[in-house]
Amino acid sequence: MATSQDPSAPEATALATPSEPVRKSNPIKRALLWVAALSTAAVVALVAGVVVLFLLLGMLISKGLPDWANPFDSTTTMSSQKPLELSLRDLAEYHGAVGTYQVVVQREMRMKHLPSFIAGEKITIMANGSVDGIVDFTNLGKDKVVIDQAARTAVITLPKPRLGATNLDMDKSQVLDVDRGLFTRAMDAIQENPLQDQDIYQEASRKLAEAATGSDILQRTEDNTRKMLTELAQSLGFTSVTVNFV
């Protein structure tokens, strides 16, 4: 028997429901995240540890540490200065003053029986040079340096100053005038450096030494030497210093 179907009844339609995708975890990515987290934590812990260490070290130093445990502890070594006698012997020779001088020297040479315009020479030079005033310390014995340690006084006996060698300044010395006879000029044309005669410069050195002797350079040498020794002795702790020149 045939079954009739109601045309008005809705037809059953099979609808397929889509299924949700299944998420799978990535083990490599998860491991990298763990490594990053651990690294950050380690850096933070290290910085915090260093800060705490310096704070503790500062507190310990402020309270005082034994010498062996304090890396910032300093040691001061005191060294005594040399005695006054040794300091004086080290001087050997003291140039207490320098004098600068200028002299005019003239040399005239003539030949017998001949007029100066024929044979002869007249040279005038202006010489500049210096001379030092010197005090000798080489023979300074204990009897020349009398020291009272209790009273902190010193008496020093030195030889009188002397003049040093004359230092002729050739660069500043000059020829002022030259007058030669005809025959002398002819001879000079043959010779080399006719004006470089040692005689006139030796005379200039002698004149400079005379000028130094007549000046106050020796007195200034005494005064400067006395001042230098007084300051030296005072720097070594002496309160009274007497310097004699004999």
Side-chain angles (χ1 to χ4, degrees), residues 9-67:
E11 295 182 356
T13 306
L15 298 176
T17 304
S19 59
E20 296 182 358
V22 179
R23 295 181 180 178
K24 296 182 179 180
S25 61
N26 191 336
I28 296 177
K29 184 176 181 181
R30 183 169 56 186
L32 291 176
L33 291 175
W34 274 102
V35 170
L38 291 176
S39 299
T40 302
V43 171
V44 173
L46 180 61
V47 172
V50 171
V51 172
V52 173
L53 179 62
F54 271 96
L55 290 176
L56 291 175
L57 185 60
M59 293 175 62
L60 290 175
I61 292 176
S62 63
K63 293 181 179 180
L65 285 175
D67 294 341

Side-chain angles (χ1 to χ4, degrees), residues 75-81:
T75 302
T76 302
T77 302
M78 299 296 293
S79 59
S80 60
Q81 293 177 319

Side-chain angles (χ1 to χ4, degrees), residues 17-240:
T17 304
S19 59
E20 296 182 358
V22 179
R23 295 181 180 178
K24 296 182 179 180
S25 61
N26 191 336
I28 296 177
K29 184 176 181 181
R30 183 169 56 186
L32 291 176
L33 291 175
W34 274 102
V35 170
L38 291 176
S39 299
T40 302
V43 171
V44 173
L46 180 61
V47 172
V50 171
V51 172
V52 173
L53 179 62
F54 271 96
L55 290 176
L56 291 175
L57 185 60
M59 293 175 62
L60 290 175
I61 292 176
S62 63
K63 293 181 179 180
L65 285 175
D67 294 341
W68 60 268
N70 188 355
F72 302 101
D73 183 57
S74 60
T75 302
T76 302
T77 302
M78 299 296 293
S79 59
S80 60
Q81 293 177 319
K82 294 189 297 183
L84 180 60
E85 303 95 309
L86 295 179
S87 299
L88 295 180
R89 290 172 189 170
D90 288 343
L91 291 175
E93 191 176 80
Y94 182 69
H95 293 234
V98 179
T100 302
Y101 308 96
Q102 183 181 87
V103 295
V104 176
V105 181
Q106 185 179 85
R107 185 188 69 176
E108 186 173 1
M109 298 175 60
R110 289 188 176 184
M111 297 184 68
K112 291 182 179 181
H113 311 298
L114 290 177
S116 59
F117 71 90
I118 296 295
E121 181 181 66
K122 184 178 180 181
I123 301 177
T124 304
I125 68 169
M126 183 175 64
N128 286 271
S130 62
V131 180
D132 291 2
I134 301 173
V135 178
D136 188 8
F137 284 79
T138 54
N139 296 321
L140 195 65
K142 292 183 178 180
D143 59 328
K144 303 298 183 182
V145 183
V146 181
I147 295 175
D148 188 338
Q149 294 288 354
R152 303 305 294 165
T153 62
V155 178
I156 305 170
T157 303
L158 296 169
K160 286 186 175 295
R162 60 178 175 84
L163 294 177
T166 303
N167 301 309
L168 183 61
D169 191 340
M170 298 297 295
D171 293 335
K172 294 183 179 179
S173 299
Q174 56 181 323
V175 177
L176 299 179
D177 182 61
V178 179
D179 186 11
R180 291 186 175 89
L182 297 176
F183 178 76
T184 305
R185 292 180 186 178
M187 294 299 297
D188 290 342
I190 301 174
Q191 298 175 357
E192 294 183 358
N193 300 324
L195 295 181
Q196 299 300 320
D197 294 339
Q198 295 299 319
D199 293 344
I200 192 170
Y201 291 109
Q202 290 176 358
E203 178 66 14
S205 296
R206 190 180 67 81
K207 291 289 186 180
L208 289 170
E210 289 180 357
T213 303
S215 68
D216 63 343
I217 182 174
L218 293 179
Q219 183 59 51
R220 289 192 291 115
T221 302
E222 281 194 13
D223 296 341
N224 293 339
T225 304
R226 183 177 287 108
K227 179 181 178 182
M228 180 274 296
L229 292 177
T230 300
E231 293 176 351
L232 174 63
Q234 289 176 347
S235 69
L236 295 173
F238 292 90
T239 56
S240 176

